[in-house]
Amino acid sequence: MSDYRIDEGMEVTLHFTLKLEDGTVVDSTRDKAAATFQVGDGNLPPGFEHPMKGMAAGESASFEITPEHAFGQHNPQNIQRLKRDDFGDEALEVGTVMSFSDPAGGELPGVISAIDGDMIDVDFNHPLAGRTLTFEVEVIDVKPATTH
């Protein structure tokens, strides 16, 4: 056991469970391998990293993360209205997640939020936007990150 604490430049191995307001589990490492990341490497939003600072191996905690610190507020401007023709012969249902190309050529996931005759509303907000999340962590190991 080391006495390192979570901070910039540390490599952290932990188990986590992410839950919605009603307790629904969105993601968890409990039934698989623990997650390892470097503080500040962008794998976790800063709002998730920040409350863990100062924790050491063997400690557990539960944090409530507000939308501003998680995946942002739901932005109505991120809902786009597209023509049914843009989708070809694809079968469309509300709730279907589809992949679109963004202007830079990257992939952008969107969820069909409404079908209104020939018009389709696609929501490009993160699925967890606007949600307050409970982030439960069990820190397994903290050590200085090795730079390659």
Side-chain angles (χ1 to χ4, degrees), residues 31 55 64 73 104 136 147:
D31 48 1
M55 288 181 70
E64 192 170 274
Q73 288 293 2
E136 297 172 356
T147 49

Side-chain angles (χ1 to χ4, degrees), residues 40-119:
D41 68 2
N43 272 324
L44 279 184
F48 289 85
E49 287 185 351
H50 191 69
M52 292 191 291
K53 289 209 167 157
M55 288 181 70
E59 295 183 347
S60 295
S62 178
F63 307 107
E64 192 170 274
I65 316 273
T66 58
E68 295 76 16
H69 293 106
F71 296 100
Q73 288 293 2
H74 190 271
N75 181 350
Q77 293 181 330
N78 289 342
I79 297 174
Q80 308 235 335
R81 188 151 256 229
L82 303 172
K83 290 191 177 70
R84 176 70 183 88
D85 299 350
D86 296 342
F87 293 89
D89 298 333
E90 239 166 317
L92 302 178
E93 281 175 46
V94 171
T96 304
V97 178
M98 302 184 76
S99 191
F100 297 85
S101 297
D102 67 17
E107 293 281 296
L108 188 64
V111 179
I112 294 177
S113 57
I115 299 176
D116 179 13
D118 289 341
M119 300 308 286

